[in-house]
Amino acid sequence: QVQLVESGGGLVQAGGSLSVSCAASGGTFSRYSMAWFRQAPGKEREFVGGISLSGTSTYYSDSVKGRFTISRDNAKDTVYLQMNSLTLEDTAVYYCAARLTTWSTNPSAYPYWGQGTQVTVSS
């Protein structure tokens, strides 16, 4: 089974940019659809976006569409989340998740999760 480790979170000012990564190990990365979720304090885990096996197809939630970009490098077993024009509402712990079939917006559909990385947007 695949193990996932996120990195790259931190503190950024509103309007700024930040990139987070998720490195996979223990499985054939190209067999997994990948997704990013986030969870703010007191809120449910929220779908951010997903990417297909080859990386040619992506899907984003309305709250991040046009600001966030998901990509993957199957040679490096890594998926990325580039976040631009960050707002205070983007503050959350960001998680990557993997599943063997096509991506889903439902967090319960993902058996594999990283530990999360904190992204804090300040005013």
Side-chain angles (χ1 to χ4, degrees):
Q1 71 185 40
V2 67
Q3 291 84 45
L4 305 173
V5 178
E6 299 95 339
S7 62
L11 177 65
V12 62
Q13 285 192 323
S17 298
L18 194 66
S19 179
V20 294
S21 303
C22 172
S25 62
T28 304
F29 182 66
S30 59
R31 296 179 59 200
Y32 294 88
S33 294
M34 301 297 298
W36 286 95
F37 290 81
R38 66 186 181 185
Q39 190 164 18
K43 295 188 176 181
E44 293 186 352
R45 194 162 295 191
E46 173 191 19
F47 175 79
V48 172
I51 188 165
S52 61
L53 301 179
S54 64
T56 56
S57 178
T58 54
Y59 182 79
Y60 301 93
S61 68
D62 288 343
S63 62
V64 307
K65 193 176 299 181
R67 301 188 298 122
F68 289 13
T69 301
I70 298 174
S71 61
R72 66 189 294 166
D73 186 338
N74 286 348
K76 295 183 178 180
D77 294 350
T78 302
V79 62
Y80 305 94
L81 177 65
Q82 174 66 41
M83 301 178 285
N84 299 326
S85 302
L86 285 160
T87 71
L88 299 180
E89 289 70 34
D90 295 316
T91 295
V93 177
Y94 283 72
Y95 299 89
C96 64
R99 68 193 301 251
L100 283 171
T101 55
T102 188
W103 53 263
S104 169
T105 62
N106 182 358
S108 298
Y110 291 83
Y112 308 111
W113 290 85
Q115 83 287 353
T117 185
Q118 177 71 46
V119 172
T120 302
V121 184
S122 65
S123 59

